[in-house]
Structures are given as C-alpha cells and as structure tokens.
Amino acid sequence: MLEKLTQFKSEIENKLHSILDFWVNNSVDVQQGGFIGKLDNEGNVHPDAEKGCVLNARILWTFSAAFNKFQNPVHYSLAERAYQYIQNHFRDQENGGVFWSVDASGKPLNTRKQIYGLAFTIYGLSEFYQNNKKQEVLDFAITLFDLIENHSYDYKNGGYWEAFSQDWELLEDLRLSEKDRNDPKTMNTHLHIIEAYVNLYRIWPEKRLADRIKRLLEIFEKQIIDPDSFHLQLFFNDHWESKSKAISYGHDVEATWLLQAAAEILDDEFLVDKWKEIAIKMSDAAAKGFMPDGSLIHEYDLSTHHPDTHREWWVSAEGMVGYLNAYQISDDESYLKKAFGLWAFIQKHLLDKKNGEWFWGVYDDYSKMNEDKIGFWKCPYHNTRACIEILRRI
C-alpha cells in the first residue's frame, strides 16, 4: 500500500502542475483585463462572456494556494492579478460586498449580493494573505465577514439567508443558478461559509469567528445532516424544514473532510472525535453513489427514485480527498481503494489529454458533456484543491 500511495502522490503532483499550467496559459484576459469569462470545450474563447465573482475568487484562491505550495512567482503574479481585479471591479465601494458578476469589460452586471459569492471571496483573500501579509487584504476579508454577519445571519432560527440586493435588501429570487430551488437557506451556501470562515480563522483567530464556526457545525449536525441516512439535506425554509429529497453525493463527500477540518481548527478534541465519526458515517452514505467503474454519480432524487448518473469533475475530485480522509481516520483500506478508483476514472475519462485541464464530465456512455472548460462555474478550485490536499496528506 505504501508503494501505491507513493505512485498516487507522484501522479497527482504531475497532474496538479498540468492544471495550473492550463490556467496560466489560457485564463488571462489580455484584452480587457483580469481573466476571461468563458472558454468552451473546443478551446474557443468567448470574449463577451460575463465574468463571475465565484470564478475570480476561486482563481485567487487557486494561485495563492499554488504559490504557498510551490513558491512559483508566476502563480503569485496571477493571484495578485485576481486580487486587483476583484478589488477594482467586483468590490462594491458604496454599499460593501462584491457583485455577483461584471461584464466582459469589468463593469457591474449582476449587482446582487449572493452570500455564496462573499464566502468564496473571503476564502480567496484568506489564502492570498498567507502569501503577502498585507493588512488591506486581511481588512477586506474581515469586512466581508462583518457584512455576512450583519445582514445574512438569522438571529431567530440560526443560519444564513442566501441573497440580497445591491443595497442589502433580502431578495425574493435567492437562487444560485436556474438549476436550484428558490429556498431561503441551502446546504451549499452554509458549507462554503464554514469553509471560508475556517480559512479566515487561520489568519485571524478571533473568538467571535471561532464561535460562528462552532455554531455552523451545530447547524450541520442538527439541521442539515439527515440523522437517519447521514446524507446532507439540500434546501430549507427559514425554520429549517427540509424542502428537497435530492441527494448530492459530491457534496456529501466534500462535507466529510471540510466539516472535520472545521472541528480541527477549533482545537477541541471532543469536537474532532465527533466529526471524525460523522465523517465515516457520511462517507459510507455517499458510497451508495458509486458505480462499478469506480466513479460517483451526481445525484439521486428520493421522491422520484431517479438517479442522475452523469459524472462531474468536481465530484470525482472531492471524492478522492473524502475517501483518503476516511482511510486516514479508520485505517480501513477499502476507503483508500475508493480514492484510487476515482483517480483511475479521472485519468481514463475526465482528463483532457490533448488540450489540458479536466472535462466537465461524462454521461453513462462516457461521451463528454458539452460544458465550459473555463466558465462561471468551471473553475480551477476543486481539482487543484484536491491535488494539493492529497499531497499534503500523503
């Protein structure tokens, strides 16, 4: 097993450099500044595409994390480019926060304040601050934290509201995308708030931030994780009544290690032990989504008993980390074999060996999904982070 882990580590590091090189060579918008908004599966740049806050925040995180790992000045220059673009084009200097999107030239386009977007900006800023220790970067991150707490936190029922207007009025349409339900609270946003707060805590270990992380863990334990199945429930009303029967296997397994990391950052042995136990139960629940080829399917709807069997890049990436983490907790090699199986599937079906990066995903017959290579939701974050996390753990 040691030999297999050594080979796994070598292959992952090689592919990590390939991902980073792809983004270095293909994502910079030399004409209009910042980074392009869309590169399609055929390698065509769409110069008029809108530029998303999440894409830019994830680019900031990616190249900051890459510089922290490899000390490559090219990575730092792109992190700096992302930071300056967010500061100059996405940041709302009048009302605070960051816009959801700007147009290709950098002018505000969708000026809503999606808490998911603020969270990812905190995540990227916190990683960038580790590079340079610039006070303005930390101040920006803390300001976003305060805005989330002041506007989005529900002091009556706990948790966070999803979306606001430019001047912080709660919106009727709260959805992240057209694919989502329009509910006031979601698992997805809460998962990425706690992820962002954990990264912020690494550079700003304030008690009030620690209290919020602990409270978020309580929300996941008592409201979001189904106590019978140990799947995540996805959508809720304001009183935390579940409004969906869908299972998202990728989010299940991503949450296993992110929530454990939140417990670990608090340095509370009781919490760490609890969340390790929960991580195993959630890993076992998510394992029901595995296919014979070693992949994880996307979703399953319990109300219709309909599986969504296409396989997406981010589910496979998060799955590798989640099952490596389960192996490290339990020393049970069956979890490690699942991580290896996902990696074999990625290499066979998701890596674009001709043009670089990973395809969005494949259908049951392994035909490629015709989705972005770079886009509003196709970012370098999941696969880069998975690779960095695997290298850190082995």
Side-chain angles (χ1 to χ4, degrees), residues 92 95-100 110-115 118 151 162-174:
D92 184 342
N95 299 288
V98 288
F99 302 126
W100 187 233
N110 187 336
T111 59
R112 67 193 281 140
K113 304 295 168 57
Q114 198 83 32
I115 298 304
L118 270 74
H151 293 287
E162 289 287 310
F164 299 82
S165 67
Q166 183 174 351
D167 57 357
W168 296 101
E169 293 294 326
L170 190 65
L171 294 176
E172 291 186 11
D173 184 355
L174 301 158

Coordinates of all heavy atoms in Angstrom, one line a residue, residues 92 95-100 110-115 118 151 162-174:
D92 N -18.0 46.4 -4.2 CA -18.9 47.5 -4.2 C -18.4 48.5 -3.2 O -18.6 48.3 -2.0 CB -20.3 47.0 -3.8 CG -21.4 48.1 -3.9 OD1 -21.1 49.3 -3.9 OD2 -22.6 47.7 -3.9
N95 N -21.7 50.3 -1.2 CA -22.6 49.5 -0.3 C -21.9 48.4 0.4 O -22.5 47.7 1.3 CB -23.8 48.9 -1.1 CG -24.7 50.0 -1.7 OD1 -25.4 50.7 -1.0 ND2 -24.6 50.2 -3.0
G96 N -20.7 48.1 0.0 CA -20.0 47.0 0.6 C -20.3 45.6 -0.1 O -21.3 45.5 -0.7
G97 N -19.4 44.7 0.1 CA -19.6 43.4 -0.5 C -19.0 43.3 -1.9 O -18.3 44.2 -2.4
V98 N -19.4 42.2 -2.6 CA -18.9 42.0 -4.0 C -20.1 41.7 -4.9 O -21.1 41.1 -4.5 CB -17.9 40.9 -4.1 CG1 -16.6 41.3 -3.5 CG2 -18.4 39.6 -3.4
F99 N -20.1 42.2 -6.1 CA -21.1 41.9 -7.1 C -21.0 40.5 -7.6 O -20.0 39.9 -7.6 CB -20.9 42.8 -8.3 CG -21.0 44.3 -8.0 CD1 -19.9 45.1 -8.4 CD2 -22.0 44.9 -7.3 CE1 -19.9 46.5 -8.2 CE2 -22.0 46.2 -7.0 CZ -21.0 47.0 -7.4
W100 N -22.2 40.0 -8.0 CA -22.2 38.6 -8.4 C -21.5 38.4 -9.8 O -20.9 37.4 -10.0 CB -23.7 38.1 -8.5 CG -23.9 36.7 -8.8 CD1 -24.7 36.2 -9.8 CD2 -23.5 35.6 -8.1 NE1 -24.7 34.8 -9.8 CE2 -24.0 34.4 -8.8 CE3 -22.6 35.4 -7.0 CZ2 -23.7 33.1 -8.3 CZ3 -22.3 34.1 -6.6 CH2 -22.9 33.0 -7.2
N110 N -24.5 41.9 -12.8 CA -25.5 41.5 -11.8 C -25.0 41.9 -10.4 O -24.0 41.4 -9.9 CB -25.6 39.9 -11.8 CG -26.7 39.4 -11.0 OD1 -27.1 40.1 -10.0 ND2 -27.2 38.2 -11.3
T111 N -25.6 42.9 -9.9 CA -25.1 43.6 -8.7 C -25.7 43.0 -7.4 O -25.5 43.5 -6.3 CB -25.5 45.1 -8.7 OG1 -26.9 45.3 -8.8 CG2 -24.8 45.8 -9.9
R112 N -26.4 41.9 -7.4 CA -26.9 41.2 -6.2 C -25.7 40.8 -5.3 O -24.6 40.6 -5.8 CB -27.8 40.0 -6.6 CG -27.0 38.9 -7.2 CD -28.0 37.9 -7.8 NE -28.5 37.0 -6.9 CZ -29.8 36.6 -6.9 NH1 -30.6 37.0 -7.8 NH2 -30.3 35.7 -6.0
K113 N -26.0 40.7 -4.1 CA -25.0 40.2 -3.1 C -25.4 38.8 -2.7 O -26.2 38.6 -1.8 CB -25.0 41.1 -1.9 CG -24.8 42.6 -2.2 CD -23.4 42.9 -2.8 CE -23.2 44.2 -3.4 NZ -23.5 45.3 -2.5
Q114 N -24.8 37.8 -3.4 CA -25.0 36.4 -3.1 C -24.0 36.0 -2.0 O -22.8 36.2 -2.2 CB -24.8 35.6 -4.4 CG -25.4 34.2 -4.3 CD -26.9 34.2 -4.6 OE1 -27.3 35.0 -5.4 NE2 -27.6 33.3 -4.0
I115 N -24.5 35.5 -0.9 CA -23.6 35.2 0.3 C -22.6 34.1 -0.1 O -21.5 34.2 0.3 CB -24.5 34.8 1.5 CG1 -25.4 35.9 1.9 CG2 -23.6 34.4 2.6 CD1 -24.7 37.3 2.2
L118 N -19.7 36.1 -1.5 CA -18.9 36.7 -0.5 C -18.1 35.7 0.2 O -16.9 36.0 0.6 CB -19.8 37.4 0.5 CG -20.2 38.9 0.2 CD1 -21.2 39.0 -0.9 CD2 -20.7 39.6 1.5
H151 N -25.9 41.2 7.9 CA -27.0 41.2 7.0 C -27.6 39.8 6.8 O -28.8 39.7 6.7 CB -26.6 41.8 5.6 CG -26.2 43.2 5.6 ND1 -27.2 44.2 5.8 CD2 -25.0 43.8 5.5 CE1 -26.6 45.4 5.7 NE2 -25.3 45.2 5.6
E162 N -29.7 33.7 1.9 CA -29.0 33.4 0.7 C -28.5 34.6 -0.1 O -27.4 34.7 -0.6 CB -29.8 32.5 -0.3 CG -30.0 31.1 0.2 CD -28.7 30.3 0.1 OE1 -28.1 30.3 -1.0 OE2 -28.3 29.7 1.1
A163 N -29.4 35.6 -0.3 CA -29.1 36.6 -1.3 C -29.8 38.0 -1.0 O -30.9 38.0 -0.5 CB -29.4 36.2 -2.7
F164 N -29.1 39.0 -1.4 CA -29.6 40.4 -1.2 C -29.4 41.3 -2.4 O -28.6 41.0 -3.3 CB -28.8 41.0 0.0 CG -29.0 40.2 1.3 CD1 -28.2 39.1 1.6 CD2 -29.9 40.6 2.2 CE1 -28.4 38.4 2.7 CE2 -30.1 39.9 3.4 CZ -29.4 38.8 3.7
S165 N -30.1 42.4 -2.4 CA -29.9 43.4 -3.5 C -28.6 44.1 -3.3 O -27.9 43.9 -2.3 CB -31.1 44.4 -3.5 OG -31.0 45.1 -2.3
Q166 N -28.3 45.0 -4.2 CA -27.0 45.7 -4.1 C -27.0 46.5 -2.8 O -25.9 46.6 -2.2 CB -26.9 46.7 -5.3 CG -25.6 47.4 -5.3 CD -25.4 48.3 -6.5 OE1 -26.1 48.2 -7.5 NE2 -24.3 49.1 -6.5
D167 N -28.1 47.0 -2.3 CA -28.1 47.8 -1.1 C -28.7 47.0 0.1 O -29.2 47.5 1.1 CB -28.9 49.1 -1.2 CG -30.3 48.9 -1.7 OD1 -30.7 47.7 -1.9 OD2 -31.1 49.9 -1.8
W168 N -28.6 45.6 0.0 CA -28.8 44.7 1.2 C -30.2 44.5 1.6 O -30.5 44.3 2.7 CB -27.9 45.1 2.4 CG -26.4 45.0 2.0 CD1 -25.6 46.0 1.7 CD2 -25.7 43.8 2.0 NE1 -24.3 45.5 1.5 CE2 -24.3 44.2 1.6 CE3 -26.0 42.4 2.2 CZ2 -23.3 43.2 1.5 CZ3 -24.9 41.5 2.1 CH2 -23.6 41.9 1.7
E169 N -31.1 44.6 0.6 CA -32.5 44.1 0.8 C -32.6 42.7 0.5 O -32.1 42.3 -0.6 CB -33.5 45.0 0.0 CG -33.5 46.4 0.4 CD -34.1 46.7 1.8 OE1 -35.0 45.9 2.2 OE2 -33.6 47.6 2.5
L170 N -33.3 41.9 1.3 CA -33.4 40.5 1.0 C -34.2 40.3 -0.2 O -35.3 40.9 -0.4 CB -34.1 39.8 2.2 CG -34.1 38.2 2.2 CD1 -32.7 37.6 2.3 CD2 -35.0 37.7 3.3
L171 N -33.7 39.4 -1.1 CA -34.3 39.2 -2.4 C -35.4 38.1 -2.4 O -35.4 37.3 -1.5 CB -33.3 38.8 -3.5 CG -32.2 39.8 -3.8 CD1 -31.2 39.2 -4.8 CD2 -32.8 41.1 -4.4
E172 N -36.3 38.2 -3.3 CA -37.3 37.1 -3.5 C -36.7 35.9 -4.3 O -37.0 34.8 -3.9 CB -38.6 37.6 -4.2 CG -39.4 38.6 -3.4 CD -40.7 39.0 -4.1 OE1 -41.0 38.4 -5.1 OE2 -41.3 40.0 -3.6
D173 N -35.9 36.2 -5.3 CA -35.3 35.2 -6.0 C -33.9 35.0 -5.4 O -33.0 35.8 -5.6 CB -35.1 35.6 -7.5 CG -34.5 34.4 -8.4 OD1 -34.1 33.4 -7.8 OD2 -34.5 34.6 -9.6
L174 N -33.7 33.9 -4.7 CA -32.5 33.7 -3.9 C -31.5 32.7 -4.5 O -30.5 32.4 -4.0 CB -32.9 33.2 -2.5 CG -33.8 34.1 -1.7 CD1 -34.5 33.3 -0.6 CD2 -33.0 35.2 -1.0

